[in-house]
Amino acid sequence: MVSKSYYDDLDALSDRICEVLIETVKKNRRAAICFATGSSPLLGYRKFVKEVIDNNIDVSGITIIKLDEWCGLDMTNTATCEHFLQQEIIKPLAIRKIKYISFNSKAVDFEEECEKIKSKIEALPCIDLTILGIGKNGHIGLNEPGEFVVPEIHVTDLDAKTKTHSMLYNTSNVSKGITIGFKDILSSKKILFIVTGPEKRIAYEQFLSLNVTTQNPSTFLKLHNNVECIVDNNIS
Ligand code: GLP
């Protein structure tokens, strides 16, 4: 089941992101949370971090999972999802290395990297919450539109629209991504699905109107029974 709420501005929507995160870490001190990167959740993450620090909330037991990553960039490159999560979540909350499951953006062998992350996720009791944005083309994580959807963690060829993502503006030759697949996404107890930012209107309209289709991977979220979809009314 997908519940939908509409917000007049990014600030109000981000308050809800923060609230869901706080609820999750308070309910289960050992919660595992999968984090998207990008502009959609950013303000919500900042509010969450502030709330945790201001109120001294114990997050030492939680596990953070990085949803996806661009392949081939150094881990320190400011364009990586790694850099984003390090700056916004891992460092400010002092998350220990052992509590952070993260693809290496410059793995020597990406198939091996997929296996490594798979076994780490399998060792968790569950994923309590997955936070997702939507791509301009309807992608979720880096599960791109195409003839099929790969259920497992996998390496993917980036779609032409994805290559124009703002995170990649100062990079060249990024053509692949590595991502959690729908098997893990749909096994998450709860999904917070954020729709905000420019150029998301068509992808979101398709999400609303289409049946489950690989042409718009976000439609796969309709198979889950606990999706909270939060939408910024200003999507253009
Ligand atoms: C990229 C990111 C995803 C993100 C999506 C939307 O693919 N790797 O994690 O959800 O784009 O990004 P944004 O919120 O910046 O539009």
Side-chain angles (χ1 to χ4, degrees), residues 21 28 32 60 63 141 146 159 184 187 217 226 236:
L21 279 162
N28 180 4
S60 61
T63 298
D159 182 85
D184 290 315
S187 77
N226 187 15
S236 57

Side-chain angles (χ1 to χ4, degrees), residues 20-193:
V20 171
L21 279 162
I22 294 290
E23 275 167 15
T24 306
V25 300
K26 280 191 171 168
K27 193 169 158 199
N28 180 4
R29 299 278 175 198
R30 301 181 65 78
I33 306 174
C34 182
F35 282 77
T37 55
S39 57
S40 307
L42 179 58
L43 182 58
Y45 291 171
R46 289 186 175 164
K47 287 175 183 269
F48 167 62
V49 166
K50 185 173 183 316
E51 186 86 4
V52 168
I53 293 171
D54 287 356
N55 296 293
N56 222 353
I57 297 171
D58 178 15
V59 289
S60 61
I62 68 167
T63 298
I64 307 286
I65 304 162
K66 179 170 70 173
L67 174 69
D68 55 6
E69 185 58 275
W70 314 109
C71 293
L73 301 173
D74 284 329
M75 286 286 260
T76 51
N77 191 310
T78 54
T80 56
C81 302
E82 181 64 25
H83 181 265
F84 178 106
L85 281 186
Q86 287 291 345
Q87 294 305 308
E88 302 297 337
I89 303 284
I90 305 298
K91 284 183 189 159
L93 296 183
I95 302 293
R96 289 168 294 151
K97 220 173 169 185
I98 194 171
K99 292 287 186 187
Y100 180 39
I101 300 178
S102 160
F103 298 112
N104 181 350
S105 55
K106 222 173 179 180
V108 177
D109 181 338
F110 276 103
E111 293 309 321
E112 207 175 275
E113 189 65 13
C114 291
E115 285 305 314
K116 200 173 91 188
I117 301 300
K118 184 179 168 208
S119 61
K120 287 187 182 180
I121 291 179
E122 277 173 0
L124 298 170
C126 67
I127 301 175
D128 294 80
L129 173 67
T130 296
I131 301 191
L132 300 172
I134 183 171
K136 292 180 262 197
N137 58 2
H139 77 209
I140 292 293
L142 288 171
N143 293 277
E144 295 282 40
E147 281 176 34
F148 49 81
V149 152
V150 182
E152 303 280 353
I153 294 169
H154 62 283
V155 172
T156 181
D157 289 324
L158 299 181
D159 182 85
K161 272 194 185 159
T162 306
K163 289 180 187 166
T164 67
H165 192 284
S166 57
M167 285 172 88
L168 296 178
Y169 279 171
N170 294 320
T171 67
S172 54
N173 300 325
V174 178
S175 60
K176 288 185 185 293
I178 185 166
T179 186
I180 304 286
F182 273 100
K183 180 170 171 282
D184 290 315
I185 291 172
L186 295 177
S187 77
S188 181
K189 281 190 176 169
K190 177 180 171 97
I191 293 172
L192 183 65
F193 177 37

